[in-house]
Amino acid sequence: MMRRATIFVLSLTLLSLTTSGALADPLPLSTDDCAKCHDEVVTDVTTRGSKHNTAVTCLDCHLEHPPKGTEVIPACSMCHDPAEKNHYTIDNCIGCHYPHYPLEIDLDEAGTVKPVCISCHENEGTQLVDYPSMHSELDCKECHLAHGQFLPCLECHEPHTEEMIYEDCITCHQPHKPTVVKYPDNIQSAYCAGCHETETAVLAQNTTKHHDLSCAYCHKMQHKMVPLCTTCHGTPHDAALHTKFPDCISCHIDPHGLEK
């Protein structure tokens, strides 16, 4: 009698499980299921994941789950095809990128990183080569301690004037080609004086109209641009004199301390 009762209870249990779907084919997983066990990971991806949050889901990367699946961690090349970009050919992706927040890269403890950086930032790498300066000799992490972060110029360089701030520096200098100095017409002459002290002092003593001009009025747009006197003055003397002395500064000596 007891045996029959036990069999009957087991039969009811099996029937109940089958009806509820427990023994039927399992339903496919959803991202909501991931959060049930991996809530911290899901939070990281949601708040810090960048395109790993917006462009893909957990199930796009993690195609299997243990114990049934063994290929749990995907290869980066599954999405980041090495044929598409030089940067994707670099080995050891996780040396810089943590998959759940891939753009938060701390370079402070890394070794030499320039080859890796310029594989993605090709334009900046080209500028460092084509316009050599002391910046070209530095590793990227000397200025960029973390990805997307940079040191302000004044952390390493003395300002031209005491009141200068970073935004003033980049008005004239681009960090990856700093010696190519270009500026707007309204740039302060005081910034030029930081390097050209002698010329500034001589111009201050000048009693001609040159005294009232800004540096950028004559040296337009780009550092080391030297204008022709004839651009403003034409040929004020007779033709014979200009023929004999074609170089104006032969007589007028120095545009900053103009001899009348």
Side-chain angles (χ1 to χ4, degrees), residues 88-111:
Y88 299 156
T89 66
I90 302 295
D91 294 329
N92 189 28
C93 303
I94 61 174
C96 289
H97 301 279
Y98 184 68
H100 298 128
Y101 36 91
L103 296 185
E104 296 183 23
I105 306 170
D106 185 358
L107 303 177
D108 192 38
E109 300 298 326

Side-chain angles (χ1 to χ4, degrees), residues 1-15:
M1 186 68 178
M2 180 65 70
R3 183 178 179 184
R4 290 180 180 177
T6 302
I7 293 174
F8 178 72
V9 170
L10 288 173
S11 298
L12 288 178
T13 302
L14 289 172
L15 178 63

Side-chain angles (χ1 to χ4, degrees), residues 10 52 108 123 129-131 140 156 172 191 199 217-218 258:
L10 288 173
H52 281 195
D108 192 38
N123 183 55
V129 173
D130 290 347
Y131 305 97
C140 300
C156 297
C172 296
Y191 295 164
E199 290 78 5
Y217 183 88
C218 294
L258 194 64

Side-chain angles (χ1 to χ4, degrees), residues 218-256:
C218 294
H219 304 282
K220 295 184 184 297
M221 303 295 293
Q222 185 165 336
H223 187 246
K224 295 185 179 181
M225 180 276 175
V226 178
L228 297 174
C229 301
T230 53
T231 300
C232 293
H233 299 287
T235 52
H237 306 297
D238 62 64
L241 189 61
H242 281 290
T243 301
K244 185 175 181 179
F245 301 102
D247 190 351
C248 300
I249 62 173
S250 296
C251 296
H252 297 286
I253 311 302
D254 179 7
H256 302 101

Side-chain angles (χ1 to χ4, degrees), residues 163-239:
E163 66 274 11
M164 281 188 72
I165 58 176
Y166 171 74
E167 285 71 19
D168 297 323
C169 300
I170 60 174
T171 299
C172 296
H173 301 277
Q174 295 184 47
H176 300 101
K177 51 177 184 180
T179 58
V180 180
V181 183
K182 296 185 178 182
Y183 40 77
D185 291 339
N186 62 350
I187 192 72
Q188 296 184 39
S189 294
Y191 295 164
C192 305
C195 289
H196 302 285
E197 296 178 359
T198 300
E199 290 78 5
T200 301
V202 170
L203 187 62
Q205 300 299 316
N206 194 327
T207 58
T208 71
K209 290 182 179 180
H210 282 200
H211 174 275
D212 300 322
L213 301 177
S214 69
C215 299
Y217 183 88
C218 294
H219 304 282
K220 295 184 184 297
M221 303 295 293
Q222 185 165 336
H223 187 246
K224 295 185 179 181
M225 180 276 175
V226 178
L228 297 174
C229 301
T230 53
T231 300
C232 293
H233 299 287
T235 52
H237 306 297
D238 62 64

Side-chain angles (χ1 to χ4, degrees), residues 20-142:
S20 66
L23 294 183
D25 292 338
L27 295 174
L29 290 173
S30 70
T31 302
D32 291 338
D33 294 318
C34 302
K36 295 174 183 176
C37 293
H38 307 286
D39 55 322
E40 292 184 3
V41 171
V42 172
T43 298
D44 284 342
V45 174
T46 302
T47 58
R48 304 156 67 185
S50 188
K51 287 187 177 181
H52 281 195
N53 173 47
T54 59
V56 295
T57 69
C58 304
L59 301 178
D60 289 323
C61 294
H62 303 285
L63 304 180
E64 297 181 342
H65 194 287
K68 184 177 181 180
T70 57
E71 300 295 329
V72 180
I73 307 299
C76 301
S77 58
M78 188 171 73
C79 293
H80 304 283
D81 186 352
E84 293 181 358
K85 186 183 290 187
N86 287 336
H87 188 67
Y88 299 156
T89 66
I90 302 295
D91 294 329
N92 189 28
C93 303
I94 61 174
C96 289
H97 301 279
Y98 184 68
H100 298 128
Y101 36 91
L103 296 185
E104 296 183 23
I105 306 170
D106 185 358
L107 303 177
D108 192 38
E109 300 298 326
T112 301
V113 299
K114 181 182 285 186
V116 177
C117 296
I118 65 176
S119 70
C120 196
H121 302 283
E122 295 179 1
N123 183 55
E124 288 77 6
T126 299
Q127 289 178 356
L128 290 169
V129 173
D130 290 347
Y131 305 97
S133 69
M134 292 184 68
H135 285 194
S136 303
E137 301 173 10
L138 299 175
D139 190 43
C140 300
K141 68 182 179 63
E142 297 293 331

